[in-house]
Amino acid sequence: MNVSPDSASTAVVCGIGSCLPPLSLTNEEIVVRGELATTDAWIRSRTGIERRRHAAPGVSTGDLALAAGEAALRSAPGIRPDLVLIATTTPDRPCPATAPDVAHRLGLGPVPAFDLAAVCSGFLYALTTANALIAHGTCRYPLVIGAEKYSAIVDPRDRDTAPIFGDGAGAFLLRAGDREEPGALVAADLGADGSGSDLIAVAGGGSRLPETAQLEREERYFRMRGRQVYAQAVTHMTRSAQTALDRAGWAAPSVEAFIGHQANQRILDSVAERLGVAAHHRFGNIADVGNTAAASIPLALADTAARRLVRPGARALLTTFGGGLTWGAIALTWPSVRPLSTDPTPHPLSLSDTDRSHPSWKLSASTS
């Protein structure tokens, strides 16, 4: 999919929010919980992950999305979203989408709201979609959220996934603006290859293999073929990132902030080195939160922005790879907004609760 800067007008990030559940599990705790045949040293050396967050049983993806969404709104006073788009692989229910409920709980009224599923590439797909909706006049202030509760679909006994994935949500509030101002989406690239759809998947629960008591354990949980995914991720993230840079008219050495999907530190380093991005311009939080799928990039960007590690307006590059197979990259100027974050109090969804007033979230200036 080609998304080129045909005009000066584009989406601009004017609000940023994030939510990480308070429970932090170390590698040792994950190993003990799942009786995994691995060690803390092995996990760190192979992935760069030291700990990850898990949401409580009563907290859903929608709850995390709600908290991140409100934090984004609080960082942009006076702006009211007129569309909500949630990128997720772990919706609250198979049907309906999670976004309409989140929009309702935010008190936004009958605004359009929908989910987008592109696994770990979902947030960049969603940002690109929101940018197009702004350009076509469908909305003025879309709220884009990446939210996941992977602890609900990962097998605690699976050494290939249990140590890697965590829960969380990140949100961007967008508005129309100029390509030269801080927070502007300058250029993007998206791609997919369905021939690798089985490399990252949950086999059961859909129309092909409906959820029944007869499903095998391998079919119920998220599975990933790590070795095959590694090579594909490095190749497609690098190519997509270079394409986005070319469309923006930027050289890789001019990039002051590189944030890749927080899947594996070795993948991130390999992509950045192939592109020629200096080590001191690479940012991420994989060690502390693990792989949060569609929430990965907004959480990493929010954490970096909260720490004020990048100057507003600096050239930034985001790139991702996920199931589908899907991939993408966005070139943007670094936002000037400072994000807010929340740790959610458990607020389980109830199908009978038709008047869901917004809960009182505890806000702080730190994303971790």
Side-chain angles (χ1 to χ4, degrees):
M1 178 179 179
N2 297 333
V3 185
S4 301
D6 296 327
S7 66
S9 179
T10 189
V12 172
V13 179
C14 61
I16 302 175
S18 67
C19 170
L20 286 168
L23 177 60
S24 180
L25 296 173
T26 65
N27 290 339
E28 291 93 339
E29 289 171 312
I30 289 292
V31 169
V32 171
R33 286 178 59 163
E35 299 180 349
L36 302 176
T38 187
T39 64
D40 167 61
W42 190 93
I43 296 169
R44 289 181 187 232
S45 65
R46 296 301 182 96
T47 68
I49 298 170
E50 299 175 12
R51 60 187 63 85
R52 73 287 299 144
R53 302 292 187 94
H54 277 193
V59 175
S60 73
T61 292
D63 295 325
L64 301 174
L66 175 64
E70 182 175 69
L73 300 191
R74 288 180 179 269
S75 75
I79 298 181
R80 182 182 178 86
D82 54 4
L83 181 142
V84 176
L85 173 52
I86 296 182
T88 186
T89 311
T90 57
D92 288 1
R93 294 171 284 179
C95 175
T98 301
D101 182 77
V102 170
H104 168 65
R105 295 168 71 191
L106 284 170
L108 300 180
V111 301
F114 61 100
D115 292 357
L116 186 152
V119 196
C120 298
S121 303
F123 192 75
L124 294 196
Y125 266 67
L127 279 183
T128 306
T129 299
N131 188 27
L133 293 173
I134 289 176
H136 286 276
T138 303
C139 60
R140 297 180 63 193
Y141 303 110
L143 176 62
V144 180
I145 306 173
E148 302 284 12
K149 187 179 180 179
Y150 257 63
S151 61
I153 65 171
V154 166
D155 185 350
R157 302 183 200 171
D158 182 9
R159 191 182 75 164
D160 294 332
T161 58
I164 295 174
F165 291 90
D167 305 336
F172 287 2
L173 180 61
L174 306 177
R175 61 168 174 81
D178 189 271
R179 292 179 61 234
E180 302 303 320
E181 64 180 298
L185 275 66
V186 178
D189 176 71
L190 301 176
D193 179 7
S195 67
S197 62
D198 290 338
L199 296 180
I200 304 172
V202 178
S207 62
R208 183 181 298 278
L209 191 61
E211 179 69 44
T212 67
Q214 286 70 44
L215 281 181
E216 299 292 335
R217 188 179 189 90
E218 287 289 322
E219 299 165 337
R220 291 178 181 276
Y221 287 108
F222 178 89
R223 301 296 181 188
M224 181 174 64
R225 300 179 191 174
R227 292 183 180 179
Q228 294 95 319
V229 167
Y230 184 97
Q232 295 257 21
V234 171
T235 297
H236 289 299
M237 289 172 70
T238 303
R239 288 178 180 172
S240 190
Q242 187 60 60
T243 299
L245 288 174
D246 292 342
R247 290 174 181 159
W250 297 353
S254 72
V255 171
E256 296 182 48
F258 170 83
I259 294 180
H261 164 52
Q262 306 289 288
N264 180 299
Q265 189 61 54
R266 294 192 300 167
I267 291 176
L268 294 170
D269 291 340
S270 181
V271 172
E273 288 166 7
R274 291 188 181 201
L275 290 169
V277 177
H280 62 282
H281 288 154
R282 307 171 194 173
F283 300 96
N285 57 359
I286 187 173
D288 294 323
V289 303
N291 183 345
T292 53
S296 166
I297 283 181
L299 280 172
L301 191 146
D303 181 68
T304 304
R307 299 172 190 271
R308 299 184 178 179
L309 299 177
V310 181
R311 65 176 181 86
R315 291 180 174 180
L317 177 64
L318 314 177
T319 184
T320 188
F321 179 86
L325 298 169
T326 57
W327 57 85
I330 287 180
L332 77 158
T333 54
W334 193 262
S336 59
V337 62
R338 191 176 186 196
L340 292 176
S341 68
T342 64
D343 283 342
T345 300
H347 185 75
L349 297 180
S350 169
L351 295 179
S352 62
D353 182 8
T354 58
D355 183 20
R356 298 174 181 137
S357 60
H358 182 62
S360 177
W361 302 104
K362 180 181 178 182
L363 298 179
S364 70
S366 171
T367 59
S368 61

